[in-house]
Structures are given as structure tokens and as C-alpha cells.
Amino acid sequence: MKKLILLTHQYPFNQSEAFLETEIPFLSQVFDEIHIFPINISKSSARPTRELPSNASIHFLNDFDQKGTLKRGKRIVSALFDTQCMKWLSQELPFFKKHGMKGYINALNWISIAKVVKDSIKKELQLELGETIIYSYWQNPGALGAVMLKEHIRIPVVSRAHGGDLYLERYNPAYIPFQFNVIHKLNQLFLISQNGYDYLYEKDQTVGSILEISRLGTLNKNIKATFSDDNILRIVTCSYMVPVKRLHLLLEALKLVDFPVEWRHIGGGPLENELKEKAKSLPSNSKVRFLGNLSNTEVLENYQKEAADLFINVSESEGIPVSIMEAFSCGIPVMATDVGGTSELVDNSSGKLIEKDIKPEKLAKYLTEYRNLTSIEKQKRSTSAFTIWNSRYNAELNYRDFSTRLENILENANESQQQKVYLR
């Protein structure tokens, strides 16, 4: 009996981690049981939004209140009186003390959540040695809780790291609690991009044997986008509407172009109302539609039904955007900022890689240049986009390989454990 404990943010609830919809069917083919712990949602507030494989079940943390938030005071006090938590805090001291009281508070908050994760898994499940592996989808307090559990019960623990859970520069202060202390305790940390791998390796080369690249992927059932044939440039964006995505840059650029443009945005978020209000000031030649949150399937269906000439991503920071993979799988060329692992996807053969600190005037210039390309040049970029997706980001290949990799880690850990017992 092979069991997988999957620690998520909120999946399978709300719109969180939509890309796990694609990955989990492959995991379910390798593991007999999948136990999902969404660590940032309560049972009372959870509303199922995604179907799960028949061998997957959901478990909730044991320390949420009825409003759906963790009881911070209770869990922090509990952590402060826990020997294991205090040991981890003392090991982390050289890192968080550089950031003063804010660093200490961040570390304390993480360790208290991690303890809840650890205790919840122990309470909810019977953990059999040699049969169970823990997989944290994020390098977050869930991963910390998993390696804390590993100190008591010798089960293998792996994690992914994406972008927000990886790059210190995204935070003020520039600190991710327990980052390398956790990595050293993992059996494997899977980075979704070469950029992420290089970032960690440059900071600590001793973790080289723990790091491994395992790219995300998307599915495509022969869906092919079409180009416009009416002299209108139709552009698409797909992202959460938050400051780091810098959608306002695109709005400002559209004010500067003098040809017909139709922009449709997929996704919601905190800045939705603000961006909609700003969009009202666009000139008559530029039109915008906000489509709201769509499932992965609905995104691909949209690309099939409506013409899409160019996908745009002007983020300030990224891991490696799944949204670009989806666009590539449909043959949509992409114009994107050179941040995170984006350059592993986008180049001048598949669209255009643009500078991180781009100004609206320069973006408007690039849009004009792209619009003036010949149909043959645009088709070459479309073909290249699909080829890159098929060779590097095809979910059928990537997730099948990743699931087998987890199975091998479990089997190798079991063999190692048996050898230790024998040597005693």
C-alpha cells in the first residue's frame, strides 16, 4: 500500500493551485491513497471546486476556528512551550535576527503553523514506515511541519518550490523563514525552473544533491488558437490581479497605440475594480474585456473559440508561468518580461522577451512592431511556441515522470530503512 500525503495551500478548494488539477491524476495512478491537507482553509469555509480522483481524500488542520482562521495566539503559545519548535527557532536565529523583530515574528508564525500541520497529520493518519511519503506543493510552513514530523517518524519528505516560496527579493524584509534549514532536511526539493535551481545553488552549494528540476506542465487536447484576420490585434493576459503582475503597464501602453486592439484578461483579484475603472479611460481604438476566473479547461476553450494573436505577461517577478505554458500549448506567441524562469520559455523565436523594468512607451513600441510582422513571421512564432511546450512542458511527460520519481524516493527510503534495521 503506497500512500501520498499532499500538503497544499487551499487545493482543491476555491481557485487556488489550479495546476494541481492536471498533476493529481498522474499521482493517483502511482499511489494507492492520496491524503490532501489544505493548510490555509478551514472545513467550515471550504467549498469544493475541483473533482478529485476516487483514491484521494481531504483532511483539515485541527486548529482552525469557526471563522476559518488559525487561532494565532493559541498556536504561538503552544509552539513556545514545545521543545522541538524551540530547537528549530534556535537553529534559525542567525537568519531571522538580521531582520529584527519582524524577522522573529515571521519565524515564530511559521513554526507555530508547522506544529499544527505536524500534529494534524499525526492525529488524522496512521503513518506506516515504508508506505508513506509526504509531498509539500510549496516550500512553506507545510514543508517545515513535514520535516519536523520526519524527525519523529522516519518517512521521506519532498517539496516543490515555485516563485513566491523561493525568491527572497519578493519580501520586505527579504526573508523566507527556515528556507535552508528545511531544504537540508528534505529527501528532495523539486524546482520548477533552472532559474530557481541556480538561485538556491548559488546561495548554498551544499544542497546540490537535494535539488532537482521537475518542470510543471499543461495538457492540450489538440486545441489550436487562431490569429485575427480583420486587422485588429487581439491580446490575452491570464493572471491574478495583484500589483506584482503590473497589469497597469499594459493599460498605459494601450493608451499610446494608434491601431485597433482588443485585450481580454482572464483572472480576478484585489485590483480588479481599480483596473476596470482605469480601463474606462482608454481611447476608442482599444477595448478591454475582463472575463474573471476560469478553470484550466475554460481557458483553453476560450483560446479555441476566440482569436488570440499574442499573450502578454509583464510581471515584476515569476517562478515560471503556467499561463505561458497554456498559451504555448495552443500555439499563441508570448511577449513577457525577463524575470524568474520566463526566459526558459520565451525567446524571440516564440514571441519576445522584454526587459523587466519596461515603460509603457517601450511596451507600446513592441506591440506596434509585433502587429506589423507578416503573417508568415507570426506563424513561425506560433509553431516555435508549440514546439517548446511539447518538448519541455507537456504534462503527460512531466507529471508521469514526476510521479514515478516520488515512487522511487519512497522505495529507496524503505530499502535504506531496512538496511539500518539490519545493521543494528
Side-chain angles (χ1 to χ4, degrees), residues 236-239 244-247 249-250 310-318 320-324 333-339 342 346 352-356 358 363:
V236 185
T237 54
C238 181
S239 71
V244 71
K245 299 301 180 181
R246 300 194 300 186
L247 292 170
L249 280 176
L250 185 52
L310 184 66
F311 184 96
I312 295 183
N313 182 310
V314 288
S315 288
E316 184 178 29
S317 178
E318 286 285 359
I320 190 163
V322 175
S323 59
I324 293 181
V334 172
M335 184 179 292
T337 42
D338 186 5
V339 293
T342 300
V346 181
K352 188 173 182 63
L353 193 66
I354 60 179
E355 54 269 30
K356 173 184 176 180
I358 190 163
L363 182 56

Side-chain angles (χ1 to χ4, degrees), residues 153-424:
I153 305 171
R154 296 177 182 174
I155 56 178
V157 176
V158 303
S159 177
R160 281 195 189 271
H162 302 253
D165 54 348
L166 173 62
Y167 300 108
L168 300 179
E169 294 74 18
R170 289 195 180 187
Y171 298 92
N172 184 20
Y175 171 57
I176 295 178
F178 303 96
Q179 186 176 45
F180 281 95
N181 280 331
V182 168
I183 292 173
H184 280 283
K185 297 286 186 178
L186 294 169
N187 291 71
Q188 208 76 46
L189 176 63
F190 294 96
L191 289 310
I192 65 171
S193 69
Q194 183 68 50
N195 181 274
Y197 181 101
D198 294 341
Y199 178 85
L200 290 179
Y201 187 75
E202 288 173 6
K203 289 182 177 296
D204 184 354
Q205 295 185 8
T206 67
V207 299
S209 62
I210 301 170
L211 307 181
E212 185 173 334
I213 297 173
S214 180
R215 302 184 190 280
L216 301 180
T218 59
L219 295 171
N220 184 289
K221 299 180 180 179
N222 299 317
I223 292 176
K224 186 73 166 65
T226 58
F227 291 150
S228 300
D229 58 4
D230 56 4
N231 207 37
I232 297 175
L233 179 66
R234 289 181 170 84
I235 60 179
V236 185
T237 54
C238 181
S239 71
Y240 197 44
M241 300 169 87
V242 289
V244 71
K245 299 301 180 181
R246 300 194 300 186
L247 292 170
H248 65 279
L249 280 176
L250 185 52
L251 274 174
E252 294 302 315
L254 292 183
K255 292 179 181 179
L256 303 174
V257 300
D258 58 1
F259 52 84
V261 182
E262 289 186 5
W263 168 32
R264 63 184 187 271
H265 175 77
I266 299 169
L271 296 182
E272 183 170 358
N273 291 335
E274 178 183 327
L275 288 166
K276 285 182 176 179
E277 189 63 30
K278 288 183 177 180
K280 294 178 181 179
S281 64
L282 286 173
S284 60
N285 62 298
S286 295
K287 302 183 184 305
V288 183
R289 286 187 296 134
F290 296 96
L291 305 185
N293 291 315
L294 300 179
S295 69
N296 295 80
T297 299
E298 290 170 333
V299 170
L300 296 178
E301 288 176 349
N302 179 268
Y303 294 163
Q304 184 178 39
K305 292 176 181 177
E306 299 190 45
D309 302 307
L310 184 66
F311 184 96
I312 295 183
N313 182 310
V314 288
S315 288
E316 184 178 29
S317 178
E318 286 285 359
I320 190 163
V322 175
S323 59
I324 293 181
M325 298 175 201
E326 289 176 331
F328 270 18
S329 74
C330 298
I332 304 173
V334 172
M335 184 179 292
T337 42
D338 186 5
V339 293
T342 300
S343 62
E344 296 170 42
L345 268 164
V346 181
D347 57 26
N348 289 337
S349 74
S350 59
K352 188 173 182 63
L353 193 66
I354 60 179
E355 54 269 30
K356 173 184 176 180
D357 298 320
I358 190 163
K359 303 299 182 185
E361 295 79 9
K362 196 68 172 289
L363 182 56
K365 176 177 177 290
Y366 289 150
L367 291 174
T368 302
E369 291 174 350
Y370 187 84
R371 188 239 187 187
N372 292 336
L373 292 175
T374 67
S375 58
I376 293 176
E377 290 172 324
K378 291 176 182 176
Q379 186 56 52
K380 285 181 179 179
R381 285 163 173 76
S382 173
T383 301
S384 177
F386 178 82
T387 300
I388 291 171
W389 168 80
N390 196 38
S391 62
R392 299 183 196 171
Y393 302 100
N394 187 325
E396 288 278 351
L397 302 177
N398 292 0
Y399 291 147
R400 186 175 289 113
D401 178 74
F402 178 73
S403 299
T404 301
R405 185 76 183 91
L406 295 191
E407 183 181 33
N408 291 338
I409 290 172
L410 175 58
E411 291 176 353
N412 291 338
N414 189 29
E415 290 175 6
S416 176
Q417 183 65 25
Q418 288 176 347
Q419 290 172 0
K420 289 179 182 177
V421 173
Y422 177 76
L423 289 172
R424 288 176 188 166

Side-chain angles (χ1 to χ4, degrees), residues 25-165:
F26 294 93
L27 295 171
S28 71
Q29 293 172 16
V30 169
F31 292 94
D32 301 297
E33 295 179 6
I34 299 178
H35 299 274
I36 303 172
F37 285 79
I39 71 171
N40 282 294
I41 197 166
S42 69
K43 188 174 183 179
S44 61
S45 62
R47 300 291 180 269
T49 53
R50 268 74 65 87
E51 291 186 9
L52 292 175
S54 59
N55 59 343
S57 57
I58 301 170
H59 307 264
F60 294 92
L61 300 190
N62 300 314
D63 201 28
F64 276 107
D65 62 24
Q66 291 183 348
K67 294 181 180 179
T69 57
L70 279 169
K71 302 172 185 175
R72 177 174 295 186
K74 175 184 174 183
R75 60 178 165 80
I76 287 178
V77 170
S78 178
L80 289 172
F81 284 90
D82 182 86
T83 303
Q84 186 185 25
C85 289
M86 295 309 295
K87 176 184 174 183
W88 273 84
L89 278 173
S90 66
Q91 292 172 344
E92 185 69 6
L93 178 62
F95 301 97
F96 69 68
K97 73 177 184 179
K98 299 176 184 177
H99 307 288
M101 182 56 67
K102 193 169 184 179
Y104 173 69
I105 292 173
N106 287 347
L108 184 58
N109 188 50
W110 272 54
I111 197 72
S112 67
I113 297 173
K115 182 178 184 298
V116 174
V117 172
K118 179 195 71 171
D119 293 344
S120 297
I121 294 173
K122 287 176 65 177
K123 181 177 180 180
E124 290 285 313
L125 299 176
Q126 183 70 35
L127 300 175
E128 295 88 356
L129 292 179
E131 294 187 0
T132 306
I133 182 171
I134 301 178
Y135 164 30
S136 178
Y137 197 75
W138 303 94
Q139 187 69 1
N140 63 8
L144 173 57
V147 296
M148 290 173 66
L149 181 61
K150 181 183 177 183
E151 291 182 333
H152 294 299
I153 305 171
R154 296 177 182 174
I155 56 178
V157 176
V158 303
S159 177
R160 281 195 189 271
H162 302 253
D165 54 348

